[in-house]
Amino acid sequence: MEINVITYNIHHGKGIDKQVDLYRIAEVIDKSDADLVGLNEVDKHFSKRSLYEDQISWLANQLNMEHAFSPSISIKSKNSTKVRQYGNALLSRYPIVTKKSHSFNYIPGLVEGRSLLDVAIQINKQLFQVNVTHLSLNPFLHKMQTDFIVSKHNKNPHPIIIMGDWNMRPGSRGWRKLTRSFQDAWYTEGIGAGHTYPSHRPRTRLDYIFVSQNVKVVEAKVLTNMSKASDHLPLTARLLY
């Protein structure tokens, strides 16, 4: 079976023109023909900057896809019953069987909260484990987060897809640890540098799709056709299982 995957840091829908426009984000995803979409920096009733929109529900409705969300930051408001949240999300054309959020908020209040979205999806009769994350800029916390992800899947028999904004460079210590267990889709089949940030003049590879060894990477591409929709470019991979 063939699966098209995309990972995209949407910057709460704010483009390089400073406009927040979820329609542009939806268009990028729609044109990518993706089956699974990992999203970072997603607002859910978070603040005025995104008009308190539940962005992942809006996108799921617009694209007719199932969805899951993992809060990295949660704030209770005195003036509303809704919790203000910001984090990672998944859109899926396949049924979501289970979903769980793992908090990486090791030092509450001192650094930005991080999390791992952990979802099981069913494609035909096969379960896939899909993770979406956005790791810390702090080297010590980044190592703890990477160690957790690798150890979590140490004995997982299912095919695994892990994607997101990793805030690391290829060849770094964290990248080397991950690639001992998983394939870096771009390293396997991408052509060129694979830079995804900043979108208007990309010079850094921050966004990655990792897959287990029992998944074949057929193609990996960085999408550049709507670079102003976010400060990151989306990374896609075509997979076979």
Side-chain angles (χ1 to χ4, degrees), residues 185-199:
W186 186 267
Y187 187 78
T188 304
E189 288 296 333
I191 298 172
H195 293 163
T196 56
Y197 180 86
S199 60

Side-chain angles (χ1 to χ4, degrees), residues 7-9 164-166 168 186 193-208 221-224 227 230-236:
T7 185
Y8 194 15
N9 182 325
D165 179 348
W166 295 78
M168 67 181 179
W186 186 267
H195 293 163
T196 56
Y197 180 86
S199 60
H200 65 288
R201 194 178 295 172
R203 52 187 178 271
T204 307
R205 185 153 83 98
L206 297 180
D207 302 275
Y208 296 79
K221 294 190 298 183
V222 175
L223 302 183
T224 59
S227 60
S230 172
D231 62 344
H232 283 242
L233 294 172
L235 170 68
T236 70

Side-chain angles (χ1 to χ4, degrees), residues 9-225:
N9 182 325
I10 66 168
H11 196 219
H12 65 271
K14 184 179 179 181
I16 58 174
D17 57 1
K18 308 300 183 185
Q19 300 300 309
V20 175
D21 187 347
L22 284 184
Y23 284 100
R24 289 191 301 204
I25 301 297
E27 185 179 352
V28 171
I29 295 168
D30 188 47
K31 287 184 175 179
S32 76
D33 199 30
D35 303 304
L36 298 172
V37 183
L39 300 174
N40 305 121
E41 298 193 12
V42 181
D43 281 0
K44 187 172 182 178
H45 312 301
F46 189 66
S47 74
K48 187 178 179 180
R49 72 181 185 186
S50 50
L51 301 177
Y52 298 94
E53 180 73 69
D54 179 349
Q55 293 189 320
I56 188 57
S57 293
W58 188 95
L59 287 166
N61 183 65
Q62 187 75 11
L63 295 162
N64 193 29
M65 299 175 80
E66 293 198 21
H67 70 282
F69 179 76
S70 170
S72 300
I73 298 173
S74 293
I75 303 170
K76 292 183 179 179
S77 175
K78 294 179 180 179
N79 303 321
S80 174
T81 56
K82 293 177 180 176
V83 179
R84 296 162 51 203
Q85 295 179 313
Y86 163 86
N88 306 302
L90 178 77
L91 294 166
S92 175
R93 298 203 185 280
Y94 302 109
I96 292 175
V97 180
T98 63
K99 46 190 172 183
K100 185 175 181 180
S101 176
H102 301 276
S103 174
F104 287 156
N105 198 4
Y106 301 125
I107 312 175
L110 291 181
V111 294
E112 181 181 323
R114 305 286 180 174
S115 68
L116 175 76
L117 175 59
D118 185 13
V119 175
I121 63 163
Q122 186 166 332
I123 306 177
N124 298 329
K125 295 182 179 180
Q126 176 65 55
L127 283 180
F128 280 71
Q129 206 71 33
V130 182
N131 287 181
V132 184
T133 195
H134 184 185
L135 297 193
S136 178
L137 289 161
N138 179 286
F140 175 70
L141 296 178
H142 194 285
K143 180 181 183 302
M144 290 179 67
Q145 293 157 4
T146 304
D147 288 349
F148 176 87
I149 292 168
V150 171
S151 63
K152 182 183 183 306
H153 292 297
N154 194 27
K155 296 181 179 180
N156 192 334
H158 300 304
I160 301 163
I161 302 168
I162 313 173
M163 51 187 163
D165 179 348
W166 295 78
N167 277 321
M168 67 181 179
R169 304 293 179 94
S172 64
R173 183 178 295 179
W175 182 88
R176 293 197 306 271
K177 185 174 184 65
L178 281 154
T179 52
R180 289 187 198 111
S181 302
F182 304 101
Q183 303 173 76
D184 174 348
W186 186 267
Y187 187 78
T188 304
E189 288 296 333
I191 298 172
H195 293 163
T196 56
Y197 180 86
S199 60
H200 65 288
R201 194 178 295 172
R203 52 187 178 271
T204 307
R205 185 153 83 98
L206 297 180
D207 302 275
Y208 296 79
I209 297 170
F210 293 101
V211 298
S212 51
Q213 301 296 337
N214 53 358
V215 176
K216 179 175 175 57
V217 183
V218 178
E219 183 182 45
K221 294 190 298 183
V222 175
L223 302 183
T224 59
N225 57 327

